[in-house]
Amino acid sequence: MVRKSSRAAALLAKAWRTGARLDALPKNLRPRSAAAAYRIQDAFARALGEPALGWKIGCTSAAARRILKTRAPMYGRVLASRLFASGVELGGTHYKLRGVEGEFAFKLKRDLPPRRRPYARPEVLAAIGGLHPAIEVIEPRYADWLAVGIHSIIADLGGNGAIVLGTAVPAWRRIDLREASVRMTLNGKIVGEGTGADCMGDPVAALVWLANALRNRGGLRAGEIVSTGTCCGFHRAAAGDRCIADFGRLGRVLVRFAGA
C-alpha cells in the first residue's frame, strides 16, 4: 500500500514541477477510498519537499459537491510556493485551468492538536487569529479533472494551485460571516455572487469540520492559513484575465493571469 502511494505521489510531483497534465493516475495506482487518497496526498507533499503553510477545504457548498459528485467536504495542503498576496500575476506552464473561487481564509494563532474528543465551535473560534478575503486558484495535475473522480482529486492536494490572500479584516468577530457578500468578477464582468452562508452555512463551520477531520492526522498548527471553500461558485479565467473577489466592506482580492 505504501509503495503504491509513493508511486502515485511521484507521478503527481513530477506533474507539479513541470506543469504537465496527467490523463489520470494509472489504474493500479488510483485511490479507491478517501483514506487511500489522503495517503497519496501525504506522500505527494513529502515528495515535493517544501513546507505546508496551511490547508484548503473543498466541496463546502452544495454546488461544488454536485460538480465533483461527492457528498462530503475534502481538504488539501497549501504549500509555501503557492501562497501569494493580492495583486500577484500567475502564469507560465503551471496555470492552465485557472479556476477561481472567492473564499474566506482564517489564520490560526494557536494549535488545534490531535486528540480523541471532537473540537467544539468555541474552541475553534478561540484558535483563530485573523480573517482574510481570499481567492483559491484551482489547478489540478489532470487534463480533465472532472473525469478522474473525487479520490484522485483529493490525492492531488485537493486540486489546489494557489491561495491568494487579501488584507486581514479588522474586528471581523463583530461581523456575521453568514451574511457577508462575495462577488467574483473577470475583467470587470460579474460571473458569480454569494454569501458566507454558501460555505457549510458559515465559514467557521468549515474550519470546525477541518479541525475534527485532522484530529487523528496531525491536527492544525498556529500560523497556518485555512481557506474554507467557495462562496460564489467555480469560474474559469483565461490567459490575460484580471480576477477580483470583492467581499464588500471586508475587502477584496486581485489575481492576474499572464497573457498567452
Side-chain angles (χ1 to χ4, degrees):
M1 186 68 71
V2 172
R3 187 176 178 184
K4 282 189 175 183
S5 297
S6 297
R7 288 163 60 195
L11 294 173
L12 290 166
K14 182 178 180 180
W16 172 282
R17 294 186 182 106
T18 64
R21 292 295 182 266
L22 306 173
D23 289 334
L25 290 170
K27 191 172 182 179
N28 66 319
L29 301 181
R30 292 174 199 167
R32 305 297 181 187
S33 67
Y38 286 120
R39 284 194 295 270
I40 295 173
Q41 186 184 129
D42 293 344
F44 180 11
R46 288 194 299 269
L48 291 173
E50 62 174 283
L53 296 185
W55 304 86
K56 60 79 51 88
I57 312 175
C59 299
T60 55
S61 71
R65 290 192 291 275
R66 283 195 299 271
I67 290 172
L68 294 182
K69 299 178 182 178
T70 185
R71 296 180 180 180
M74 56 88 168
Y75 61 83
R77 287 169 175 78
V78 176
L79 300 183
S81 63
R82 301 295 177 92
L83 183 65
F84 302 99
S86 179
V88 68
E89 181 175 272
L90 303 177
T93 59
H94 295 289
Y95 294 95
K96 297 174 182 176
L97 180 72
R98 295 178 291 266
V100 289
E101 299 179 344
E103 310 191 0
F104 293 89
F106 296 105
K107 186 172 184 178
L108 300 180
K109 65 180 179 181
R110 65 181 65 163
D111 294 348
L112 292 168
R115 72 182 198 189
R116 291 186 178 182
R117 180 166 51 90
Y119 281 102
R121 182 185 176 94
E123 295 174 282
V124 174
L125 272 170
I128 299 172
L131 170 70
H132 297 255
I135 291 175
E136 181 182 8
V137 179
I138 305 296
E139 197 60 52
R141 269 46 68 180
Y142 303 110
D144 183 353
W145 71 307
L146 297 180
V148 300
I150 187 63
H151 296 142
S152 287
I153 294 169
I154 290 171
D156 181 33
L157 305 185
N160 179 254
I163 298 291
V164 183
L165 292 180
T167 303
V169 179
W172 66 270
R173 293 179 187 272
R174 302 176 187 172
I175 299 164
D176 186 344
L177 298 182
R178 296 171 298 179
E179 297 180 358
S181 64
V182 187
R183 174 180 291 174
M184 182 72 73
T185 64
L186 290 175
N187 304 320
K189 179 181 178 181
I190 298 172
V191 295
E193 294 182 284
T195 68
D198 290 305
C199 174
M200 293 182 71
D202 177 359
V204 175
L207 182 59
V208 174
W209 174 86
L210 182 65
N212 285 309
L214 293 176
R215 277 188 301 123
N216 298 316
R217 304 198 81 244
L220 291 166
R221 297 180 181 179
E224 289 185 327
I225 295 288
V226 179
S227 194
T228 54
T230 184
C231 295
C232 56
F234 167 86
H235 309 282
R236 287 194 63 177
D241 278 358
R242 185 173 187 266
C243 173
I244 293 175
D246 190 337
F247 292 71
R249 64 189 176 119
L250 305 188
R252 64 183 204 163
V253 190
L254 165 67
V255 60
R256 297 182 178 88
F257 293 98

